[in-house]
Structures are given as structure tokens and as C-alpha cells.
Amino acid sequence: TTSLSTSKLPPHNLAINPNHSLNDRPLVALTVAVLTGAIVELNLVSDHTRPNSALGLPSGGEVVGDLAMARYIARTWSSSQSNMGQLILGADDASSQSAIDQFVDYALIMSKKDEASRIKGIAMTLNRILVNQTFVASATSITLADIALYAGLGFPSQHAAKVALNKALSGGNNNGILRWLNVLTSHPAIR
């Protein structure tokens, strides 16, 4: 893919515009980079001229967009030291991959809604799913679905954001999503 910026990124350089708000930064891609170990091989670059974050590719191109960069990182680094990249995307199982993809699409759709509607919608969906499981699309590990939905809720990893989200979720039967939020917020890749 191509970038709208006039500067060319070297391979494995992830450019972030420091003038963008925290929610407009590639938090999903950075979380996947931490989970896969790719973060030690990526060079984070501050570039205020870029309209969007981008990742330089070995081929000379660039990947633009948080979720696209996250998928690229998971695919590229899954063959290195661990298979975490494969697990994040659903391993080699088409059913698991499709389940993860549908939740990533859902998170993207919900991110376009106002905050109150987004929180209510995601909470209703996750409370049904998380009754008997810890993660959204996998019984045993965090996936791209979890990270994308967490980002859809505003990536509440900081104390003030978590308190505000907990307040928004109070008053209902939100045990599943509250437990899930605690698990994700305490995860080393997200803290």
C-alpha cells in the first residue's frame, strides 16, 4: 500500500504523528508488536508531517492503518521466536480466523459511533460472550479481536480512563466485560 506522506519510511520504521491524539495512534499495532516481540526490531519514529501512522516494509512500500499494521506485524513475526503472531490471528484454523476477523470488523464499525453508544453496544455484545470465557475469540489467549475491541472502548489502560469506563458500565450486569477489562488492562503488553 502507499502512504500520503512525501517521506519514504525505511523497513521496520513505524512513524507516528506526535500531534495526533492517543486514540489516533497505532495502539493495536504497538500492542501486537509487544506481544510478538517485534517491538525490539521496530524503530519508532516521530513524524509530524504524516497524516497517518505507517510502517515501512522491506519491499520499499508502507502499510498504513492501525489494524493493517497489526496484521502485518502478527504475520511477519509469527515465524520468528514464538508463534504468538499466529495465535493473535487465529493460528491456521479458518473458523478461528473468521471469528477474530468478525470482531475486528465489529470494533471498527463501533468505533464510528458516539462514546456512549459504543460502550453500551460493545458491553452488550461482550457480556454475552464472556460469561464462560476470558477472551473474546479464544478460550486461552488474547487475540486481535480482544485488542481491537479494547481499542474500540478507548484503550482504557490509564487509571483515569479505566475509572471513567467502569463508571459508564456501572448499574448493569456487566460482570463479563468488567472482568475482561481487568484482564486486558493488567496484561503487560497493554499496561
Side-chain angles (χ1 to χ4, degrees), residues 17-99:
N17 187 326
N19 298 323
H20 288 169
S21 71
L22 185 63
N23 288 336
D24 290 331
R25 294 183 188 176
L27 298 175
V28 175
L30 289 168
T31 302
V32 169
V34 171
L35 286 167
T36 60
I39 197 72
V40 297
E41 296 181 39
L42 293 177
N43 183 29
L44 301 181
V45 178
S46 176
D47 185 348
H48 69 277
T49 65
R50 287 188 168 273
N52 300 302
S53 297
L55 175 64
L57 302 176
S59 65
E62 295 179 354
V63 176
V64 178
D66 192 15
L67 295 172
M69 287 187 288
R71 285 184 177 111
Y72 175 83
I73 291 166
R75 288 179 186 127
T76 303
W77 274 272
S78 68
S79 59
S80 58
Q81 288 110 357
S82 75
N83 68 343
M84 191 61 188
Q86 284 183 306
L87 293 174
I88 290 169
L89 297 174
D92 292 329
D93 177 26
S95 295
S96 295
Q97 291 169 352
S98 296

Side-chain angles (χ1 to χ4, degrees), residues 1-189:
T1 60
T2 59
S3 171
L4 301 175
S5 176
T6 56
S7 62
K8 189 98 162 146
L9 275 175
H12 301 147
N13 276 10
L14 198 157
I16 300 170
N17 187 326
N19 298 323
H20 288 169
S21 71
L22 185 63
N23 288 336
D24 290 331
R25 294 183 188 176
L27 298 175
V28 175
L30 289 168
T31 302
V32 169
V34 171
L35 286 167
T36 60
I39 197 72
V40 297
E41 296 181 39
L42 293 177
N43 183 29
L44 301 181
V45 178
S46 176
D47 185 348
H48 69 277
T49 65
R50 287 188 168 273
N52 300 302
S53 297
L55 175 64
L57 302 176
S59 65
E62 295 179 354
V63 176
V64 178
D66 192 15
L67 295 172
M69 287 187 288
R71 285 184 177 111
Y72 175 83
I73 291 166
R75 288 179 186 127
T76 303
W77 274 272
S78 68
S79 59
S80 58
Q81 288 110 357
S82 75
N83 68 343
M84 191 61 188
Q86 284 183 306
L87 293 174
I88 290 169
L89 297 174
D92 292 329
D93 177 26
S95 295
S96 295
Q97 291 169 352
S98 296
I100 291 167
D101 287 344
Q102 83 179 3
F103 284 111
V104 170
D105 289 347
Y106 175 70
L108 189 59
I109 290 165
M110 294 304 286
S111 71
K112 309 236 184 289
K113 297 189 176 293
D114 65 270
E115 183 180 31
S117 298
R118 184 175 64 244
I119 291 170
K120 182 180 178 183
I122 292 174
M124 287 174 51
T125 300
L126 293 187
N127 278 321
R128 283 193 337 261
I129 294 165
L130 298 171
V131 169
N132 296 316
Q133 60 192 61
T134 302
F135 300 104
V136 174
S138 167
T140 59
S141 66
I142 191 170
T143 67
L144 187 58
D146 295 289
I147 302 165
L149 287 163
Y150 190 77
L153 290 169
F155 215 88
S157 62
Q158 301 299 311
H159 180 70
K162 185 178 176 187
V163 168
L165 185 56
N166 283 341
K167 183 178 178 184
L169 292 170
S170 66
N173 183 9
N174 290 312
N175 295 339
I177 191 170
L178 290 171
R179 181 176 35 80
W180 176 80
L181 282 168
N182 284 332
V183 169
L184 264 64
T185 301
S186 64
H187 197 287

